[in-house]
Amino acid sequence: MQTVLIVEDDPAIAELVQGLLEDEGYTVLTASDGVVALGVLREQRCNLIIADLMMPNLDGRSLRAAVAATPSFRGIPIVLMTAASHVTEDDRRQFAAVLQKPFHLDELLELTASLLSPSPYPS
């Protein structure tokens, strides 16, 4: 079973995404900011991280940098969720995907499935 970590400081959004992904059969963990997320990652292997951009303590960009700097976390794809109107080209290159809020639930499900499906090409 695939495990997704939702890193979101808005409890309503975190709960919505968690319920949606659990209904699709994913195991879902949540964290309220990047600091909490790093603690979760130390305890549990995750296959995908979906992180908000703007959060207290450690934002989505800083979380991505910390994940990239940690060898045991480095291969985990990270989706950046944001309501910000301006997303940089660096963001588009450094994250597996950018999901603009508000988003359609089907868009989230398709993106999650595509990032978690095995590649037909050997790595």
Side-chain angles (χ1 to χ4, degrees):
M1 186 175 298
Q2 304 275 16
T3 301
V4 179
L5 173 59
I6 307 299
V7 189
E8 171 62 64
D9 62 326
D10 182 326
I13 294 173
E15 188 176 308
L16 172 72
V17 173
Q18 179 179 10
L20 181 69
L21 294 177
E22 285 176 345
D23 286 349
E24 292 296 311
Y26 298 106
T27 298
V28 180
L29 307 171
T30 61
S32 57
D33 65 40
V35 173
V36 175
L38 291 172
V40 170
L41 289 170
R42 286 185 200 96
E43 300 294 321
Q44 181 115 14
R45 175 72 180 141
C46 295
N47 304 98
L48 176 66
I49 299 168
I50 301 175
D52 189 19
L53 172 60
M54 296 180 282
M55 297 180 289
N57 303 318
L58 192 67
D59 68 13
R61 287 184 185 111
S62 298
L63 173 62
R64 191 215 53 81
V67 167
T70 307
S72 60
F73 304 158
R74 197 171 288 146
I76 305 170
I78 304 174
V79 173
L80 179 67
M81 284 192 305
T82 182
S85 59
H86 179 70
V87 177
T88 69
E89 283 305 310
D90 276 348
D91 290 334
R92 295 193 188 285
R93 278 192 301 276
Q94 294 177 355
F95 288 89
V98 175
L99 189 60
Q100 202 71 43
K101 293 177 184 176
F103 51 84
H104 293 280
L105 300 180
D106 288 342
E107 180 183 10
L108 174 65
L109 291 176
E110 289 171 14
L111 180 59
T112 300
S114 72
L115 290 170
L116 291 175
S117 23
S119 171
Y121 307 103
S123 33

